[in-house]
Amino acid sequence: MSQWAASPSAGSQDCDKLCPEWECRDNSEYRGVWVIGEVDENGIIEPSLQMLTPAKKVASKLNVKITGVLLGSNVKGFASQFIEYGADEVIVVDDPRLSSYAPNVYGEVVVSLIKKYKPEMVFVAGTMKGRELAPYIANHLRTGITADCTDFDVDEKTRDVFQIRPPFGAVLLAYIRTPNRRPQVATARPNVFPLPQRDPSRKGEIIEEKVDYVPQPKARLVSRKVVPRTEVPIEKAELVIGGGKGLGTAEGFKMLQELANVMGAVVGGSRKAVDLGWIPHERQIGQTGKSIKSVIYMAVGISGAAQHMFGVREAEVVVAINKDPTAPIFSQCDYGVVADYREVISHLIKMLKDLKEQVKRGETPRIE
């Protein structure tokens, strides 16, 4: 394990020497932990609620409140969700001018709220929007940001938050801190942290904020079309089959999809498979893709690089199929099969189809 840490917090009298183009900032004025919420038509999205888990850990060590922040139009009714999942209070900016998300618009509003309330830690879910919004906030506040964190801890003497993440290669862990600036900003990918237990009886304060100035978006929404999903999102699927470079060609994914159809599973892939164009990026599993928490994950033709295994660490059972007996994945899986995947998958497809036919005929299923 490696630790990267800056020097202890400098006093405000030294800030001109550290970075003369940035305004001086007194860290002692900043208190509290914020979670920026992202909403859709159903309310606060799950990745934002998951961020309450690390927020609780940090807030308890800093002995401060957790504040949820909601922006949008007609979003006040969702504030109670934040409280039920662990926030102590919620700041709501409900404004028709925020009906459509734009990074500069939402970013400016969040920055104005931070300048007013001065939180010391800001958590943002690492969704497509969150990965755009968080750096916008950090840049405008001239503060530090760490993306794709996997854990957090606190130096209780300095109140610096250790933002822990695997660097490239995922062999070590980097402990990153922001000693001379506040707030500290961090993101984490969906499903890295568990969803807190919901408690409908929790009570908390809802603070309604009004903003005088809302900038014009730098891009204009021309049209919006909701694309219906034909299958469960890979990050929510209970059964997932992943394919890697070991499949040999893109044709191998057709066989995996056939098995998935029989099993009721969703097909994903490794980064190498995505880079080869065999499967879309939105189905990538791993550190730079999606994190899954399936009941069963079947890795086919995947060597088991650390970056990939990071994305399946929440899977309950990992089954590996690979013809290379020295593949690293065999030391990390629950069950391993050393064989040509074509033979194994074709046998599984036939076996499952036979079992389904037996059930249809009212027979007791048996494997021959």
Side-chain angles (χ1 to χ4, degrees):
M1 180 180 293
S2 174
Q3 178 167 313
W4 299 348
S7 59
S9 297
S12 58
Q13 68 273 17
D14 297 324
C15 68
D16 286 337
K17 298 177 183 178
L18 291 169
C19 200
E21 70 271 22
W22 289 0
E23 65 184 55
C24 290
R25 197 165 294 174
D26 185 354
N27 288 356
S28 65
E29 296 179 355
Y30 289 75
R31 289 292 182 268
V33 172
W34 279 18
V35 176
I36 308 299
E38 183 179 330
V39 299
D40 60 17
E41 60 275 5
N42 299 313
I44 304 173
I45 64 172
E46 189 171 314
S48 291
L49 295 174
Q50 290 170 353
M51 296 306 292
L52 289 167
T53 296
K56 182 178 180 180
K57 177 180 180 179
V58 171
S60 63
K61 292 193 174 187
L62 293 173
N63 193 28
V64 294
K65 295 188 295 187
I66 300 173
T67 302
V69 179
L70 281 183
L71 310 181
S73 181
N74 298 319
V75 296
K76 181 183 175 182
F78 300 140
S80 60
Q81 295 179 6
F82 247 145
I83 294 170
E84 290 174 0
Y85 281 95
D88 300 302
E89 63 182 16
V90 183
I91 297 173
V92 180
V93 182
D94 201 324
D95 192 308
R97 293 172 293 178
L98 300 175
S99 58
S100 295
Y101 166 79
N104 71 301
V105 176
Y106 274 51
E108 289 288 348
V109 174
V110 173
V111 166
S112 68
L113 294 174
I114 290 174
K115 288 181 176 179
K116 177 178 180 179
Y117 287 94
K118 292 182 167 58
E120 56 195 309
M121 185 71 211
V122 177
F123 289 102
V124 185
T127 61
M128 293 291 286
K129 291 180 180 177
R131 293 170 69 83
E132 183 177 50
L133 181 64
Y136 188 99
I137 295 168
N139 179 62
H140 274 63
L141 292 171
R142 295 295 189 263
T143 192
I145 178 173
T146 304
D148 299 341
C149 295
T150 59
D151 200 1
F152 297 89
D153 207 344
V154 174
D155 181 335
E156 296 181 36
K157 291 182 179 179
T158 64
R159 302 182 72 86
D160 292 343
V161 176
F162 289 113
Q163 298 151 67
I164 306 169
R165 60 152 294 156
F168 296 109
V171 177
L172 307 174
L173 287 178
Y175 283 57
I176 303 168
R177 63 200 296 180
T178 308
N180 302 312
R181 305 295 291 177
R182 291 293 185 269
Q184 304 155 97
V185 182
T187 70
R189 289 178 178 272
N191 292 331
V192 168
F193 294 98
L195 184 69
Q197 188 71 32
R198 179 173 175 261
D199 181 2
S201 66
R202 290 191 85 251
K203 303 297 181 183
E205 184 181 5
I206 297 176
I207 304 166
E208 294 186 62
E209 275 285 344
K210 304 293 183 183
V211 289
D212 296 328
Y213 172 70
V214 175
Q216 291 295 315
K218 293 183 178 180
R220 182 170 60 89
L221 180 64
V222 176
S223 64
R224 182 174 183 267
K225 181 180 179 181
V226 178
V227 180
R229 291 186 180 274
T230 57
E231 60 181 19
V232 178
I234 194 167
E235 62 269 25
K236 292 183 177 294
E238 293 189 351
L239 302 175
V240 178
I241 303 172
K245 186 179 179 181
L247 295 183
T249 66
E251 293 297 311
F253 275 95
K254 292 182 179 180
M255 180 175 282
L256 298 191
Q257 188 60 58
E258 184 180 357
L259 176 61
N261 294 340
V262 178
M263 291 176 58
V266 176
V267 176
S270 67
R271 178 169 182 170
K272 288 184 178 179
V274 171
D275 290 344
L276 289 166
W278 295 351
I279 194 166
H281 179 265
E282 59 266 23
R283 301 238 197 135
Q284 181 181 326
I285 301 168
Q287 184 181 351
T288 55
K290 300 286 183 66
S291 293
I292 63 172
K293 47 183 180 181
S294 55
V295 176
I296 297 176
Y297 174 58
M298 185 180 297
V300 185
I302 292 176
S303 63
Q307 293 93 330
H308 182 80
M309 299 309 295
F310 172 82
V312 304
R313 63 179 186 167
E314 295 297 325
E316 294 181 20
V317 177
V318 176
V319 180
I321 302 172
N322 200 304
K323 65 180 181 181
D324 179 6
T326 65
I329 197 168
F330 286 124
S331 64
Q332 304 173 75
C333 67
D334 298 288
Y335 301 96
V337 180
V338 180
D340 187 318
Y341 80 90
R342 297 175 184 82
E343 297 178 5
V344 178
I345 298 301
S346 60
H347 179 73
L348 282 174
I349 292 171
K350 181 179 183 305
M351 181 186 71
L352 290 172
K353 286 182 176 180
D354 288 345
L355 290 174
K356 285 189 173 184
E357 286 298 321
Q358 291 172 30
V359 171
K360 280 184 180 180
R361 295 194 296 265
E363 302 173 3
T364 301
R366 67 181 189 278
I367 300 175
E368 298 179 355

